Amino acid sequence: MDLPQLWFLLIAVLWLGYLVLEGFDFGVGMLMRPLSRNDTDRRLIINTIGPVWDGNEVWVLVAGGAMFAAFPEWYATMFSGFYLPLLLILIALIMRGVAFEFRGKIDDPVWRARWDWAITLGSWIPAVGWGLALANLVRGVELTPEHQMTSSVLDLLSPYALLGAATTAMLFATHGAIFLALKTAGPMRERAGRAAAVLAVPTTLVAGAFAVWTQLSHSAHTWTWAAVGLAAAGLVAVIATTRARREGWAFGASVVVIAAAVALLFGSLFPNVMPAINDPANSLTIANASSTSYTLTIMTWVAAFLTPLVIGYQAWTYWVFRKRLTAEVIPPHTGLPARADDASRR
């Protein structure tokens, strides 16, 4: 394995980390309104991901940075060609982060309800958008010999790409429901467990159809059937463990499904990084899109020293905040009153 191939593999691992970790907190945000009965429930749900959501987002920054440094032409073509969907995702992520910070600043139901919608939309848009982007990456786009993308925005909304978007949305919703059941106790745990069991079946159907379509139409390798098989086994395990209310095993099975999906998508891409559907000769490949050997060597040494520190710090964070939460531990609001005269009446 040469350095460009190694960095293609490392970028796939970074996307895997992002989709597993951010996937469940997208799912938690997507389910916040249907699973809550009052404001205390919504604060309980937010608190399950409060200590970790911003750390989870670091993975996409590192993945994007690694793509820029290791495969600058891939980064430039993808981010300019997918500009609109990626811009929507970026706006949604900013809106979601601001909502987490500002929701509790003012003690007013209307204020909180608006930020709750921001969290919901800020979770749904990336969940759908990443599936759309990854599916189009595997399906391929129209490229010029200079590697300029000429596909329009409407071209990105093919049936295959829309099925990819539905797959990530369903997977993240199920992943989030399982995480909520794992991190809470009492009525919220029961509701999240039931939601996970209900979501598992349609998720299996949608994700299974997407995996088979990917293998049959967009993969030139027979070994990626192993990823399809692993995904199928993981999805069956998710159905069985969510119905048995074994949250830990269900979360592990859900992680296996996402890992298999990443292996299938990146395995189908290899040795391309962005196939051209109009002329295969115009495709961006690992070989013609990579940085110099000198750059990749420096990146490899930096990654070898810093990656264990980042993973160790994040693992410690999850260990510190490992306990289950209940509505009883949620403190009263401490935000400012909505208007100055509200304070004088208290």
Side-chain angles (χ1 to χ4, degrees):
M1 180 183 295
D2 57 19
L3 281 175
Q5 291 174 350
L6 172 65
W7 273 96
F8 179 77
L9 178 62
L10 291 176
I11 287 170
V13 172
L14 291 170
W15 277 104
L16 168 60
Y18 174 67
L19 296 176
V20 166
L21 297 176
E22 191 83 313
F24 72 71
D25 68 48
F26 284 150
V28 168
M30 293 159 72
L31 297 173
M32 184 178 74
R33 297 188 70 83
L35 290 184
S36 60
R37 300 291 180 268
N38 50 45
D39 183 64
T40 302
D41 281 350
R42 287 187 279 279
R43 294 175 65 202
L44 169 62
I45 290 172
I46 291 171
N47 279 332
T48 61
I49 57 174
V52 297
W53 71 268
D54 46 357
N56 294 344
E57 286 194 350
V58 169
W59 286 79
V60 74
L61 299 177
V62 178
M67 287 176 67
F68 172 75
F71 301 99
E73 203 158 0
W74 181 19
Y75 179 92
T77 303
M78 178 178 169
F79 278 75
S80 59
F82 295 173
Y83 183 79
L84 185 57
L86 294 181
L87 179 64
L88 287 175
I89 291 173
L90 178 62
I91 292 173
L93 291 177
I94 293 172
M95 179 173 67
R96 182 169 173 269
V98 171
F100 284 138
E101 298 295 331
F102 276 63
R103 184 184 186 279
K105 299 295 184 186
I106 294 179
D107 189 7
D108 177 61
V110 176
W111 171 270
R112 291 194 295 270
R114 289 171 179 168
W115 288 118
D116 288 345
W117 276 112
I119 293 171
T120 302
L121 289 174
S123 302
W124 271 99
I125 292 172
V128 171
W130 285 126
L132 198 69
L134 290 170
N136 275 298
L137 196 63
V138 173
R139 173 178 173 265
V141 293
E142 293 185 2
L143 295 174
T144 67
E146 295 76 28
H147 300 146
Q148 299 294 317
M149 182 174 149
T150 56
S151 297
S152 68
V153 173
L154 289 179
D155 292 334
L156 302 180
L157 301 177
S158 65
Y160 173 74
L162 292 176
L163 183 60
T167 297
T168 49
M170 294 294 295
L171 274 178
F172 292 165
T174 305
H175 198 42
I178 294 170
F179 179 78
L180 264 181
L182 188 63
K183 278 293 295 179
T184 58
M188 181 58 68
R189 181 185 180 187
E190 290 300 315
R191 288 199 291 272
R194 284 196 297 271
V198 169
L199 286 167
V201 175
T203 299
T204 298
L205 297 176
V206 172
F210 179 69
V212 172
W213 192 342
T214 300
Q215 177 63 38
L216 293 179
S217 300
H218 302 294
S219 178
H221 313 293
T222 54
W223 72 264
T224 46
W225 276 111
V228 177
L230 185 62
L235 288 165
V236 171
V238 168
I239 293 176
T241 51
T242 51
R243 289 175 183 274
R245 300 296 175 86
R246 301 292 298 271
E247 291 100 354
W249 286 100
F251 191 79
S254 185
V255 170
V256 168
V257 173
I258 296 174
V262 171
L264 174 62
L265 294 175
F266 279 81
S268 300
L269 263 180
F270 185 86
N272 295 316
V273 291
M274 202 163 187
I277 55 175
N278 53 321
D279 184 354
N282 296 344
S283 297
L284 277 165
T285 67
I286 292 175
N288 68 22
S290 68
S291 294
T292 64
S293 178
Y294 178 74
T295 301
L296 295 178
T297 300
I298 292 177
M299 289 175 60
T300 304
W301 280 108
V302 171
F305 281 105
L306 294 184
T307 304
L309 292 177
V310 174
I311 293 175
Y313 175 77
Q314 195 154 27
W316 177 76
T317 304
Y318 277 89
W319 176 255
V320 169
F321 295 101
R322 66 188 182 280
K323 291 184 178 177
R324 290 181 184 269
L325 300 177
T326 63
E328 287 72 26
V329 302
I330 302 300
H333 274 292
T334 56
L336 297 170
R339 298 183 300 275
D341 55 343
D342 289 344
S344 63
R345 287 199 295 268
R346 292 182 177 178

